[in-house]
Amino acid sequence: MGVSKASNRESLADALLKAGKYDEKILVEEFIHGREIEVAVMGNDSPIASICGEIDSGAEFYDYDAKYVTDTSTAYIPGRIDEAAEEQVREQAVKVYQAIGCQGLSGVDFFVTYEGNRVVFNEINTLPGFTAISMYPKLWGFDGIPYNALIDKLIELAKEDKNIELVTGDLGFGVLKPYWEAVPDQFTNAGIAEQNMTTLAAGMALTGKTVFTYSIGNFPTLRCLEQIRNDCA
């Protein structure tokens, strides 16, 4: 939302006005003429990178419509890059992952330029999707790790972290009561009795724990909510 591709000063001015409707901060980036490459990274102390995948938006660029609305985009696994470029992308993905202290899982995105095969880091997604169109499970699936086995591996990685508490049973009030009780009343609308996910998230942040359970969403939460914890401190 609010993203535009500018080819001259006039279209840049229009793009800035459009972006300004959504936020006071506007990010202007150099256009990279190349393939959009994605890598799935998994692990704690010794992370590993999957094979490279590629997204061809089939449009001017890979915006919200190209990803979720239209059927123009195409995923290629493996990506259409040579062996040397793929090796560099996978190595850089692990370095980025380790540099920002990731654990569990992340998706790391790059551009590989059409001319010269220059590898350009684009972004990292520390909580990649697990939907039908998500690249993260598809990449590991191509590498021989099916969806169920991938979830099992992520659970094992989560259990290695002392700040993650594994809950495999029903999410009853008795199990989660310590997390709700950790939230000061000023962070809730109706005190502990509200028992909503926002309150739970803040409680997890304040206690320094992440509840890892099959009952929250469609995929596991593997990382502590550091930012919320800092905000509440």
Side-chain angles (χ1 to χ4, degrees):
M1 298 179 65
V3 179
S4 304
K5 180 180 176 181
S7 57
N8 52 48
R9 286 184 176 274
E10 183 179 36
S11 59
L12 175 60
D14 292 338
L16 292 172
L17 289 173
K18 178 182 177 180
K21 295 178 181 179
Y22 295 92
D23 205 321
E24 295 179 352
K25 295 181 179 180
I26 299 173
L27 177 64
V28 180
E29 296 181 307
E30 174 191 1
F31 172 69
I32 304 297
H33 187 52
R35 302 185 188 277
E36 192 158 343
I37 303 297
E38 301 187 13
V39 182
V41 181
M42 175 171 56
N44 291 333
D45 295 332
S46 302
I48 57 175
S50 72
I51 194 169
C52 294
E54 177 186 349
I55 294 292
D56 183 348
S57 67
E60 186 70 14
F61 62 95
Y62 196 41
D63 61 2
Y64 182 90
D65 286 341
K67 184 172 184 178
Y68 295 110
V69 179
T70 68
D71 58 358
T72 60
S73 64
T74 303
Y76 294 93
I77 303 175
R80 298 171 296 177
I81 56 177
D82 63 31
E83 185 176 339
E86 177 168 0
E87 182 178 353
Q88 185 179 356
V89 168
R90 295 178 70 231
E91 288 179 356
Q92 291 298 319
V94 171
K95 287 182 179 180
V96 170
Y97 186 91
Q98 292 177 315
I100 66 172
C102 287
Q103 288 184 301
L105 76 168
S106 287
V108 191
D109 299 348
F110 295 85
F111 293 108
V112 176
T113 61
Y114 292 119
E115 294 185 8
N117 278 346
R118 181 166 64 99
V119 174
V120 181
F121 168 63
N122 181 23
E123 63 179 358
I124 184 167
N125 183 351
T126 57
L127 197 59
F130 272 65
T131 69
I133 65 170
S134 297
M135 287 289 277
Y136 190 92
K138 286 185 176 182
L139 291 169
W140 286 120
F142 187 91
D143 276 344
I145 305 177
Y147 193 97
N148 289 346
L150 177 60
I151 296 297
D152 288 341
K153 286 182 176 291
L154 294 174
I155 290 172
E156 291 304 312
L157 289 171
K159 289 165 67 176
E160 292 177 5
D161 191 332
K162 64 182 180 181
N163 287 322
I164 292 182
E165 191 165 308
L166 183 63
V167 178
T168 56
D170 180 37
L171 279 178
F173 181 69
V175 173
L176 297 178
K177 184 178 179 181
Y179 298 98
W180 276 298
E181 289 183 337
V183 183
D185 286 341
Q186 65 263 35
F187 291 111
T188 66
N189 294 324
I192 295 171
E194 190 175 47
Q195 301 183 24
N196 58 36
M197 288 305 298
T198 302
T199 305
L200 172 61
M204 292 190 299
L206 288 170
T207 58
K209 295 279 188 178
T210 294
V211 172
F212 180 73
T213 171
Y214 294 107
S215 302
I216 298 180
N218 295 322
F219 53 89
T221 300
L222 297 178
R223 297 180 56 76
C224 292
L225 304 177
E226 297 285 353
Q227 187 59 53
I228 297 179
R229 184 196 303 169
N230 292 337
D231 290 344
C232 292

